[in-house]
């Protein structure tokens, strides 16, 4: 549901009734993971996707039925070898989808979660996906401090334990499922809770106000990052040159990095390829939490930079975090092609991809398949 927070919040503000189908679990190869959502309002307007097209028609019908009955339903879709035209996933995977109507009083809590999400406030929405009919679809909203609204309608300990589990997923910025008994103990076979986490978008900080940075800022926004461009030269670091960036900062790169801080989701792209900027910046960056640290430059530039960093006391383990020369080998020439190369490497590192062509490859197309399969089987 929070996957479509902006559009659904507008629907709620307009007083529309709607139903939301949310992917709860994935097995095998499937296009989208837990948290992916499709919504249908009472007029039949549809937004979002749960499968990239494979089962959208059937899910649309389920949403319409949920609006009619007011009841939540959990449905499983999979591939059918016997009937190629059967509703299923032609990619060979399976998905479980929770369909929940958001109407009347039942829509109050989801609406509150959507409102928090559009304000970019951290919040987790917990819903009963699998369990007794009377509990399915019941919801609990959890904030980072442990406070919340609503309830799952079971044993008093259920809300307390569910809130603790939701906080843990929220702190990690993850959406997933939790198995609990109706009494709140960590036992399987009772309830399956879907926990959707909404956290502020991860940051991409691009150092170096050059034309490659402008193209990378556009790519970063497309991938969902909050993009900052930083350069010490005010004549180059201007809003007019980087209209797609969320922030344009004039400061020495290493000084800005130290004062802004990073976390485990932050992407750092160093495009200055100038030792007086690169060395102090990377000396700091390689000792801070980050999901990706890359630096632009030729192999000769990289070798010189590597020597300078070692001379500054950067360890071999710290240097191993540096992706340099940055980007995948696409034969890129233009700023846009180079930005695509860098963005592709960021996605590969984040998702565990190899960057190799899929043609002729035997590796999984969706690298979370095993994890999703275990989660679905739990």
């Amino acid at each position: 549901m929070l996957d479509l927070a902006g559009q659904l919040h507008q629907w709620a503000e307009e007083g529309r009734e709607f139903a939301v189908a949310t992917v709860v679990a994935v097995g095998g190869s499937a296009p989208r993971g837990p948290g992916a959502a499709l919504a249908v309002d009472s007029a039949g307007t549809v937004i979002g996707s749960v499968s990239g097209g494979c089962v959208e028609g059937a899910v649309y019908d389920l949403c319409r039925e949920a609006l009619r009955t007011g009841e939540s339903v959990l449905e499983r879709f999979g591939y059918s070898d016997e009937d190629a035209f059967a509703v299923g996933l032609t990619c060979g995977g399976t998905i479980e989808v929770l369909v929940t109507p958001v109407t009347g009083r039942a829509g109050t809590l989801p609406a509150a979660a959507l409102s928090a999400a559009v304000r970019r406030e951290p919040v987790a929405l917990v819903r009963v996906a699998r369990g007794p009919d009377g509990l399915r679809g019941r919801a609990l909203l959890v904030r980072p401090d442990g406070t919340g609204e609503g309830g799952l309608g079971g044993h008093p300990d259920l809300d307390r334990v569910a809130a603790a589990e939701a906080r843990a997923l929220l702190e990690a910025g993850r959406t997933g499922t939790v198995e609990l008994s109706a009494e709140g103990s960590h036992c399987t076979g009772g309830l399956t809770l879907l926990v959707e986490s909404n956290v502020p978008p991860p940051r991409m900080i691009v150092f170096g106000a050059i034309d490659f940075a402008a193209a990378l800022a556009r790519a970063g926004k497309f991938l969902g990052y909050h993009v900052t461009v930083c350069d010490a030269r005010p004549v180059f670091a201007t809003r007019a040159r980087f209209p797609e960036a969320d922030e344009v900062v004039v400061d020495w790169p290493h000084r800005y990095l130290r004062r802004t801080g990073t976390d485990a989701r932050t992407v750092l792209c160093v495009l200055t390829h100038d030792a007086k900027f690169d060395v102090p910046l990377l000396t700091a960056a390689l000792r801070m939490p980050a999901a990706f640290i890359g630096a632009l430059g030729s192999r000769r530039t990289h070798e010189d930079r590597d020597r300078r960093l070692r001379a500054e006391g950067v360890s071999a383990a710290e240097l191993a975090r540096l992706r340099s020369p940055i980007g995948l080998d696409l034969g890129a020439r233009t700023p846009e092609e180079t930005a695509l190369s860098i963005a592709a490497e960021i996605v590969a590192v984040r998702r565990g991809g190899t960057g190799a062509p899929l043609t002729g490859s035997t590796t999984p197309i969706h690298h979370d398949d095993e994890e999703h399969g275990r989660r679905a089987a739990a």
Side-chain angles (χ1 to χ4, degrees), residues 11 54 58 82 102 137 142 146 166 170 175 179 194 196 245 274-275 318 321 343 353:
W11 282 8
C54 301
E82 296 180 358
V102 182
V142 180
L170 182 58
T175 288
E179 302 286 337
L194 172 64
E196 294 182 81
D274 183 330
E318 290 165 342
R321 300 180 62 203

Side-chain angles (χ1 to χ4, degrees), residues 27 62 74-79 87 93-97 130 376:
L62 287 172
L74 182 70
E75 190 74 25
R76 182 178 183 274
F77 297 95
Y79 178 70
V87 173
T94 61
I95 61 172
E96 285 188 298
V97 177
R130 185 183 293 109

Side-chain angles (χ1 to χ4, degrees), residues 26 369-378:
V26 173
D369 287 349
E370 283 191 26
E371 178 186 350
H372 291 330
R374 286 194 299 271
R375 190 179 297 153

Side-chain angles (χ1 to χ4, degrees), residues 22-366:
T22 309
V23 175
V24 173
V26 173
S29 181
R32 305 203 65 196
L38 178 150
V40 181
D41 73 359
S42 54
T45 305
V46 60
I47 58 174
S49 171
V50 294
S51 71
C54 301
V55 299
E56 312 296 72
V59 173
Y60 176 88
D61 291 339
L62 287 172
C63 288
R64 297 282 285 176
E65 180 67 9
L67 281 170
R68 187 185 69 81
T69 65
E71 300 292 330
S72 296
V73 63
L74 182 70
E75 190 74 25
R76 182 178 183 274
F77 297 95
Y79 178 70
S80 170
D81 287 316
E82 296 180 358
D83 184 357
F85 296 99
V87 173
L89 297 171
T90 55
C91 53
T94 61
I95 61 172
E96 285 188 298
V97 177
L98 175 65
V99 181
T100 304
V102 182
T103 60
R105 292 186 61 186
T108 303
L109 193 63
L114 294 170
S115 179
V118 297
R119 294 194 304 268
R120 294 190 173 183
E121 296 175 0
V123 67
L125 181 63
V126 185
R127 286 182 286 160
V128 178
R130 185 183 293 109
D133 289 342
L135 298 185
R136 188 179 300 129
R138 294 292 294 267
L140 174 68
L141 184 147
V142 180
R143 300 184 181 87
D145 62 2
T147 61
E149 303 173 36
L152 303 181
H155 191 278
D157 285 341
L158 178 59
D159 285 355
R160 178 181 59 80
V161 176
E165 294 287 341
R167 286 183 67 191
L169 285 170
L170 182 58
E171 288 174 2
R174 290 182 51 233
T175 288
T177 56
V178 175
E179 302 286 337
L180 296 177
S181 72
E183 292 74 34
S185 62
H186 290 84
C187 297
T188 59
L191 302 176
T192 298
L193 308 180
L194 172 64
V195 182
E196 294 182 81
S197 295
N198 179 79
V199 293
R203 296 189 67 193
M204 172 185 284
I205 309 178
V206 182
F207 297 97
I210 61 177
D211 50 357
F212 291 94
L216 184 56
R218 292 193 294 272
K221 289 300 295 180
F222 178 75
L223 292 176
Y225 287 93
H226 180 281
V227 178
T228 300
V229 175
C230 175
D231 196 294
R233 303 165 297 176
V235 68
F236 293 108
T238 65
R239 171 58 63 185
R241 296 188 70 228
F242 301 96
E244 286 86 0
D246 296 286
E247 299 174 291
V248 179
V249 176
V250 178
D251 200 349
W252 278 80
H254 70 283
R255 186 166 60 193
Y256 172 71
L257 182 63
R258 287 197 178 107
R259 70 178 171 85
T260 192
T262 62
D263 61 28
R265 300 188 301 150
T266 303
V267 168
L268 303 176
C269 299
V270 180
L271 307 187
T272 48
H273 55 88
D274 183 330
K276 69 176 178 290
F277 295 118
D278 290 3
V279 173
L281 171 59
L282 289 170
T283 299
L286 293 170
R287 292 166 176 167
M288 299 172 71
F292 179 95
I293 304 171
L296 186 70
S298 66
R299 298 193 186 281
R300 180 178 295 178
T301 298
H302 167 70
E303 291 170 1
D304 177 68
R305 187 165 48 210
D306 187 82
R307 285 193 296 270
R308 291 173 183 267
L309 289 169
R310 290 180 185 276
E312 291 295 318
V314 178
S315 70
E318 290 165 342
L319 279 171
R321 300 180 62 203
L322 178 61
R323 316 286 298 195
S324 177
I326 193 172
L328 299 184
D329 181 9
L330 304 182
R333 292 291 183 271
T334 67
E336 289 74 18
E337 290 173 346
T338 301
L340 177 61
S341 165
I342 296 170
E345 185 179 24
I346 291 169
V347 173
V349 170
R350 180 185 175 196
R351 299 298 189 187
T354 65
L358 293 174
T359 302
S361 172
T362 59
T363 58
I365 294 176
H366 304 290

